[in-house]
Amino acid sequence: MRELRLVAKLGDWLIFLVAIGLLLWWFFRRFYKWLHEPPGHRIRKLADSGEVLRDEAVEFLESHGYEVLSGKHRIPLGVKVDEGPLQPTRLYFDYLAVKEDLYYLVKLEKARMPIEWTASGLRDRLMIYSLLFPDCEGIVVADPAQRWVRTVRFKVEDENG
């Protein structure tokens, strides 16, 4: 009887050690995959995720030399203030496009919420996209109705100049 309990205890430990080993192996593989992921992998994955509906905006961007890869993206975010509950929100951009092998996020100008074309206005409205997708060359802001396209890029400067 005593030997049976000892065998059962050893079996429990063996199962526990195998489970821990598998968990450690899984974490190592995930870390290794993340570490060796090629630059731009996240952007290419995003490009494959959305479908492009042919509309006036897509044709307008193509007439300016952009190839629209995907459209209408929604990025879910959570916001937590102090110890309060996690509040869901979303960040939207209209298209992911490529021009001369460089990736761009595209925002269409909306009449109800126009962009303020000052350095601080652009920072407040668009810099989050550059931070979320550092592999992108910039953010293209387009207005197909008014027939204009502008590219916004952010550069971190040092304090001295």
Side-chain angles (χ1 to χ4, degrees):
M1 188 67 147
R2 182 179 166 138
E3 293 164 356
L4 227 85
R5 275 189 261 150
L6 183 61
V7 170
K9 209 178 234 189
L10 285 174
D12 290 346
W13 274 104
L14 182 63
I15 291 172
F16 177 72
L17 290 174
V18 167
I20 293 294
L22 288 173
L23 201 58
L24 288 173
W25 176 79
W26 182 78
F27 278 124
F28 173 76
R29 293 292 300 154
R30 295 283 297 172
F31 178 72
Y32 184 85
K33 187 176 179 181
W34 171 80
L35 191 62
H36 292 89
E37 192 173 79
H41 173 75
R42 191 169 168 205
I43 289 293
R44 286 189 294 279
K45 187 175 171 185
L46 188 64
D48 294 337
S49 68
E51 68 180 68
V52 179
L53 299 175
R54 306 272 322 152
D55 61 6
E56 176 190 358
V58 171
E59 290 174 9
F60 179 68
L61 289 166
E62 288 175 348
S63 73
H64 280 79
Y66 294 94
E67 178 188 349
V68 178
L69 302 175
S70 62
K72 306 300 178 193
H73 290 281
R74 180 182 70 169
I75 302 164
L77 299 171
V79 178
K80 187 173 185 173
V81 179
D82 293 330
E83 296 305 317
L86 188 67
Q87 302 171 36
T89 186
R90 290 165 300 287
L91 188 63
Y92 296 95
F93 64 94
D94 296 297
Y95 300 103
L96 177 64
V98 67
K99 182 177 185 180
E100 298 171 4
D101 295 325
L102 299 171
Y103 291 98
Y104 297 87
L105 297 180
V106 179
K107 293 278 295 172
L108 298 178
E109 179 75 2
K110 308 275 195 280
R112 69 176 187 270
M113 208 170 159
I115 291 178
E116 183 182 328
W117 290 97
T118 63
S120 60
L122 292 169
R123 177 201 63 215
D124 292 346
R125 280 285 297 281
L126 300 177
M127 192 161 94
I128 189 161
Y129 296 103
S130 287
L131 296 173
L132 283 173
F133 299 100
D135 296 327
C136 283
E137 179 65 18
I139 297 101
V140 171
V141 181
D143 188 342
Q146 299 293 320
R147 312 296 294 169
W148 57 262
V149 174
R150 298 177 90 177
T151 303
V152 179
R153 293 176 182 88
F154 295 96
K155 180 183 179 300
V156 177
E157 296 180 350
D158 62 11
E159 288 290 321
N160 299 330

